[in-house]
Amino acid sequence: MNASFRERWQQLDWDDLTLQINAKTTRDVQHTLARDTLTLDDFMALLSPAARPFIEPMAQKAQKMTRQRFGHTVGFYVPLYLSNLCANDCTYCGFSMSNRIKRKTLNETEIINECETIRKMGFDSLLLVTGEHQTKVGMDYFRQHIPTIRRYFSSLMMEVQPLATEEYAELKTLGLDGVMVYQETYHEPAYQLHHLKGKKQDFHWRLDTPDRLGQAGVDKIGLGALIGLSNSWRTDCYMVAEHLIYLQKHYWQSRYSISFPRLRPCAGGIEPASIMNEPELVQLICAFRLLAPDVELSLSTRESPYFRDHVVPLAINNVSAGSKTQPGGYADDHAELEQFAPHDNRSAAQVAESLIKAGLQPVWKDWDSYLGR
Ligand code: SF4
């Protein structure tokens, strides 16, 4: 087997890390804030409860760094749900196999309708999303439909079941630019508790996925933990940072993005095991910016309009807007099929207008396929 983050993960003791994070002091935070280049130990200090009174200076520093590296731009993308079929049971997700909901997989005509509707909304950057159903929404489905979808958009990402290296390499030739793959939690016992059936129960196959993406030469790799799934969101987010630093060292040709999904209500959903409040989410976002100045930070419609309007100008590079989380949601609604209820229900134009008022420049298209990758 090729090298993988798994070896590093095996050296990291969850309880020990949790203790280390909680033991950070005001002095550690002050020392970290005085530095320009941060280590993972510094990141731990910024993530810790001791950094809570320092959110304001962290935000100021994060905003300055973001403007220096990225100017005033904010990229806009939108998810296109192709299918809500899933062969897994995850305690926190409405698409779980055992949930008795209506199932739908878009056919070619429906996909074209969705693509045309989304283009009219102004988007040129698309995130394809499916449940995880290897046989019905697997490589054959992707081979058949990605070339069509690609004709409509100049940037194409996907968030589907983890695939093999050679499959990612093939999808890249069909026009795939990036893949989001969230570990959900890096705490294996919590992971097993929340993944009850299906291939997703294989914690290590998922953990190795970003390595396979790097080995396949995929241009952009998105990481994240589902905040609230384990009993310590701080430890999970520290693991994300470890994962990011490892990947940047091993697959330096790829770009990286980090997302911050918090558990949202869904059909048959669960209560979070650790609650992260909004100030703590700001703290986390700023901590990532200070650790990784060049990495894209993304904030979805899971968060409220008020929160997004105030936090995007600090350190966020990419936002989704006007999102529907059900297959066929743009051209023909189908609200009963949705995965979770977005919190920011404004239209894409309304979100763009708010960000312009805050002095930012929405970017709908930042690349053209003829330029290659
Ligand atoms: S989280 Fe993903 S794998 Fe789990 S049930 Fe939902 S769609 Fe399926």
Side-chain angles (χ1 to χ4, degrees):
M1 198 185 82
N2 289 311
S4 87
F5 174 67
R6 195 194 302 198
E7 286 146 39
R8 174 67 188 144
W9 174 83
Q10 277 163 344
Q11 295 165 353
L12 299 167
D13 182 84
W14 180 273
D15 293 335
D16 188 41
L17 289 173
T18 307
L19 284 174
Q20 284 185 54
I21 295 168
N22 288 328
K24 291 291 179 192
T25 63
T26 299
R27 239 179 103 91
D28 295 326
V29 179
Q30 287 168 330
H31 177 74
T32 294
L33 280 173
R35 290 160 59 96
D36 286 334
T37 309
L38 303 196
T39 63
L40 280 163
D41 190 58
D42 294 323
F43 179 74
M44 232 182 219
L46 296 183
L47 200 61
S48 73
R52 182 68 198 270
F54 294 89
I55 294 179
E56 183 60 37
M58 283 172 67
Q60 282 176 15
K61 204 168 172 187
Q63 188 171 36
K64 195 171 162 204
M65 276 176 138
T66 307
R67 296 288 87 83
Q68 278 170 351
R69 308 275 171 151
F70 300 94
H72 288 78
T73 59
V74 178
F76 271 56
Y77 74 93
V78 76
L80 167 52
Y81 279 67
L82 294 170
S83 172
N84 65 355
L85 273 180
C86 191
N88 294 310
D89 249 344
C90 306
T91 57
Y92 49 87
C93 177
F95 286 179
S96 283
M97 172 168 79
S98 57
N99 275 356
R100 294 191 177 278
I101 57 166
K102 239 173 108 183
R103 304 286 172 173
K104 182 163 184 60
T105 301
L106 300 186
N107 61 32
E108 182 86 357
T109 311
E110 290 164 329
I111 290 173
I112 289 171
N113 282 343
E114 289 290 272
C115 289
E116 286 176 349
T117 309
I118 290 170
R119 286 292 294 142
K120 281 185 200 143
M121 291 161 70
F123 290 101
D124 195 43
S125 185
L126 191 71
L127 172 66
L128 297 176
V129 186
T130 68
E132 300 196 5
H133 202 294
Q134 195 70 25
T135 46
K136 294 201 176 139
V137 192
M139 279 302 287
D140 287 344
Y141 184 86
F142 301 139
R143 278 185 196 109
Q144 192 184 345
H145 298 297
I146 283 183
T148 306
I149 299 169
R150 179 77 225 196
R151 287 205 297 274
Y152 289 88
F153 300 94
S154 56
S155 169
L156 198 56
M157 314 272 296
M158 73 181 346
E159 187 183 332
V160 306
Q161 65 273 23
L163 301 171
T165 311
E166 54 279 11
E167 292 172 327
Y168 286 130
E170 182 184 343
L171 292 179
K172 196 182 157 195
T173 67
L174 299 180
L176 184 70
D177 296 307
V179 175
M180 310 280 119
V181 58
Y182 305 132
Q183 183 57 32
E184 317 296 14
T185 174
Y186 289 78
H187 187 235
E188 195 172 359
Y191 186 95
Q192 301 305 354
L193 198 68
H194 290 288
H195 300 99
L196 307 174
K197 278 187 205 146
K199 172 96 175 154
K200 195 169 175 179
Q201 286 181 296
D202 190 340
F203 176 89
H204 295 282
W205 171 249
R206 197 166 189 92
L207 191 65
D208 292 342
T209 307
D211 281 281
R212 296 196 300 278
L213 286 163
Q215 286 150 15
V218 170
D219 180 52
K220 185 148 80 166
I221 303 173
L223 306 174
L226 182 54
I227 293 164
L229 206 55
S230 72
N231 62 8
S232 171
W233 63 260
R234 289 190 167 87
T235 314
D236 252 331
C237 293
Y238 175 78
M239 290 285 198
V240 173
E242 279 270 358
H243 207 163
L244 170 70
I245 300 298
Y246 163 91
L247 292 165
Q248 283 182 318
K249 260 189 215 146
H250 286 79
Y251 313 104
W252 51 268
Q253 302 95 328
S254 294
R255 297 180 294 148
Y256 296 90
S257 77
I258 306 286
S259 301
F260 309 94
R262 295 195 292 171
L263 267 177
R264 291 283 302 147
C266 72
I270 54 153
E271 287 300 311
S274 56
I275 308 271
M276 170 197 263
N277 59 32
E278 289 188 344
E280 288 166 340
L281 180 51
V282 177
Q283 180 186 346
L284 175 69
I285 290 168
C286 294
F288 264 105
R289 169 58 68 233
L290 300 186
L291 173 73
D294 296 323
V295 164
E296 285 183 14
L297 305 182
S298 184
L299 198 62
S300 79
T301 55
R302 284 173 182 260
E303 300 302 334
S304 72
Y306 181 86
F307 183 80
R308 296 213 311 160
D309 282 355
H310 287 82
V311 174
V312 171
L314 297 180
I316 296 296
N317 307 104
N318 276 314
V319 291
S320 52
S323 304
K324 302 285 183 187
T325 68
Q326 67 272 33
Y330 298 101
D332 201 8
D333 199 24
H334 298 293
E336 73 285 2
L337 301 177
E338 76 178 6
Q339 186 187 32
F340 63 88
H343 199 158
D344 187 346
N345 288 305
R346 293 174 295 176
S347 69
Q350 286 170 322
V351 176
E353 202 181 313
S354 280
L355 296 182
I356 290 168
K357 277 191 193 141
L360 297 175
Q361 183 196 344
V363 174
W364 302 91
K365 176 174 185 165
D366 72 346
W367 195 255
D368 214 315
S369 46
Y370 80 87
L371 294 166
R373 281 286 184 195

